[in-house]
Amino acid sequence: KVVYEMSKDSNFFKNEQRKSSESGKRNQAMKEKLASLTPAELHAAARLADRFLLEAEGTRTIDRTFIHIDMDMFFAAVE
């Protein structure tokens, strides 16, 4: 609550609110499109996704390891 009260009028906060609203609208549009698909279209999409996964699996290598370290100090300061 304290963080919210201190940041709610900032430009960053307003921009994040705008982006969240746009994301919500996109999600709603995708949900509506999904609801309008026929079972045949869903089945065809599932087959396409399965084929893509099989192709990707054939080219995957696991000989490297990646580590991601989040250095975001904002959350560290808040926590």
Side-chain angles (χ1 to χ4, degrees):
K1 183 170 172 94
V2 172
V3 172
Y4 174 81
E5 290 298 324
M6 295 296 292
S7 62
K8 69 180 179 181
D9 294 324
S10 71
N11 288 336
F12 176 80
F13 186 85
K14 291 174 184 174
N15 188 45
E16 291 300 310
Q17 291 292 93
R18 179 190 58 77
K19 290 191 310 187
S20 178
S21 175
E22 290 173 359
S23 178
K25 289 176 185 175
R26 284 193 308 272
N27 288 343
Q28 185 60 35
M30 283 190 271
K31 287 178 182 179
E32 290 170 3
K33 184 175 181 179
L34 178 62
S36 71
L37 293 176
T38 66
E41 290 172 320
L42 289 173
H43 182 70
R47 287 184 18 180
L48 181 64
D50 288 341
R51 190 170 67 229
F52 174 77
L53 288 174
L54 283 174
E55 290 174 12
E57 188 68 27
T59 61
R60 182 174 70 147
T61 62
I62 54 173
D63 59 342
R64 297 188 296 177
T65 302
F66 293 89
I67 298 174
H68 171 85
I69 301 172
D70 188 351
M71 303 291 285
D72 189 346
M73 298 308 291
F74 173 75
F75 290 108
V78 172
E79 293 173 349

